[in-house]
Amino acid sequence: MNSKTDRSTPTVRTRAELLRQVMDWKRAGETVAFVPTMGALHSGHLSLIEKAREKASRVVASIFVNPTQFAPGEDFDTYPRDEAADLAKLASAGCDLAYLPTVEEMYPEGTLTNVRVESMSDLLDGIYRPHFFYGVTTVVARLFLHVQPDVAVFGEKDYQQLQIIRRMVRDLAFPIEVLGAPTARDADGLAQSSRNLYLTAEERRNAGALQAALHRAAMRLGAGALPSEVLGEARTLLSHSGFGKVDYVTLVDPATLLDLPDAPLREGTAARLLGAAWMGRTRLIDNISVSR
Ligand code: AMP
């Protein structure tokens, strides 16, 4: 294990080194919380580390840009990577150990096994990125088996991902408690994302409209407005705010992610409003809870 200065986080790159440390902790009666990431860390990621610290005595974060969740032509090669800065941020957030596996460590040569959460992975983002959630669940299942945490923390920012992982954990009986953490936002409401780095200054000024449109729609739905009208208004607002193609703005059941009927939300029920739209060459997603 490489214990660097106190401004970086101890780092392991192999499963064997990782397991040695985690097993030492577990033998000493400690609990382990895990936060998987793809790096380019921002304060949204660090809020997950803080939540993890509240839930367990040790926190492990992984940084792995997972090739199986990128399609050819997506941004795997250009995805932002800054290991030294990430390790310093993890240290300042109180992370105990960073796991930075190689592709070979995660996908040993000749590997044939994937994890697919059917149907939920084919909705919403799965329509536009058909490979995506299969890559996510495959790598998260592998990371869970490597880290063997008691608790794992995921952001509500990626709401569909969070619900799919909850389902995977339930279906495969992973002995892991999955926790969601609220979305960290910039002052104008834009959800923090590593991909926000791709936005030009003008696009960045306009991008806050995604959260604003969802927020406004959530208020109207909470007051009993008809979903088809409200969702139409949200799309129009996005188009008038500099967004290009709107992949979806939709109201779904918060657990199954299935579309709700086009009727005013029943009193006492909760739903989730999700949106995905293009700002220039960057695809932004966001979501918000709706209740009546
Ligand atoms: P990523 O590095 O984008 O794969 O994200 C790693 C984890 O951080 C996932 O659980 C994300 O949902 C979470 N995350 C990303 N952005 C945010 C944010 N703005 N607020 C809270 N969690 C986030």
Side-chain angles (χ1 to χ4, degrees), residues 78-102:
T78 54
Y79 194 84
R81 293 167 170 88
D82 189 346
E83 188 178 308
D86 285 348
L87 293 176
K89 287 176 193 169
L90 288 177
S92 67
C95 176
D96 294 290
L97 185 67
Y99 181 38
L100 277 67
T102 59

Side-chain angles (χ1 to χ4, degrees), residues 10-284:
T11 301
V12 289
R13 293 179 195 272
T14 64
R15 182 182 190 182
E17 292 170 287
L18 170 71
L19 265 184
R20 259 201 302 281
Q21 177 62 85
V22 170
M23 289 306 138
D24 279 354
W25 284 333
K26 290 200 168 176
R27 267 193 296 274
E30 305 220 55
T31 52
V32 176
F34 176 45
V35 178
T37 82
M38 298 208 300
L41 300 181
H42 49 67
S43 46
H45 295 114
L46 302 184
S47 71
L48 304 192
I49 302 283
E50 275 150 32
K51 177 144 188 156
R53 280 177 60 198
E54 291 165 13
K55 299 291 171 184
S57 57
R58 297 288 180 175
V59 176
V60 177
S62 61
I63 300 175
F64 181 64
V65 184
N66 173 35
T68 66
Q69 70 191 64
F70 291 79
E74 289 190 339
D75 54 347
F76 177 72
D77 292 330
T78 54
Y79 194 84
R81 293 167 170 88
D82 189 346
E83 188 178 308
D86 285 348
L87 293 176
K89 287 176 193 169
L90 288 177
S92 67
C95 176
D96 294 290
L97 185 67
Y99 181 38
L100 277 67
T102 59
V103 172
E104 292 68 35
E105 197 73 15
M106 290 314 301
Y107 298 105
E109 211 188 313
T111 190
L112 293 175
T113 305
N114 295 302
V115 177
R116 296 171 69 92
V117 176
E118 306 288 350
S119 61
M120 285 175 87
S121 299
D122 301 324
L123 305 167
L124 301 165
D125 278 343
I127 296 170
Y128 300 90
R129 306 181 70 194
H131 55 284
F132 176 68
F133 291 113
Y134 298 115
V136 169
T137 43
T138 294
V139 80
V140 170
R142 286 168 183 244
L143 285 166
F144 280 177
L145 292 166
H146 287 203
V147 179
Q148 302 188 20
D150 302 288
V151 176
V153 185
F154 293 84
E156 288 180 356
K157 149 88 183 356
D158 301 286
Y159 188 79
Q160 186 177 8
Q161 169 174 285
L162 170 64
Q163 296 309 84
I164 288 172
I165 286 166
R166 286 189 198 283
R167 187 62 188 231
M168 174 185 82
V169 162
R170 187 182 113 177
D171 289 355
L172 298 182
F174 276 105
I176 298 171
E177 183 187 2
V178 174
L179 297 173
T183 302
R185 300 181 179 280
D186 286 347
D188 66 346
L190 177 67
Q192 296 189 353
S193 164
S194 308
R195 289 191 170 99
N196 292 351
L197 295 169
Y198 298 156
L199 298 170
T200 65
E202 190 193 347
E203 288 167 357
R204 175 63 196 82
R205 277 196 297 279
N206 292 333
L210 177 55
Q211 199 266 347
L214 294 183
H215 183 74
R216 187 187 147 85
M219 292 290 132
R220 301 249 294 120
L221 291 163
L226 198 62
S228 54
E229 277 176 23
V230 173
L231 301 179
E233 285 164 14
R235 286 172 165 272
T236 307
L237 194 59
L238 291 176
S239 304
H240 290 164
S241 308
F243 276 87
K245 182 166 180 286
V246 177
D247 282 348
Y248 59 80
V249 179
T250 189
L251 186 70
V252 301
D253 177 284
T256 63
L257 307 174
L258 294 172
D259 276 336
L260 291 174
D262 186 24
L265 205 58
R266 269 187 296 124
E267 297 210 17
T269 56
R272 203 87 189 178
L273 180 63
L274 295 96
W278 288 84
M279 178 53 78
R281 301 175 62 165
T282 307
R283 186 174 185 274
L284 298 177

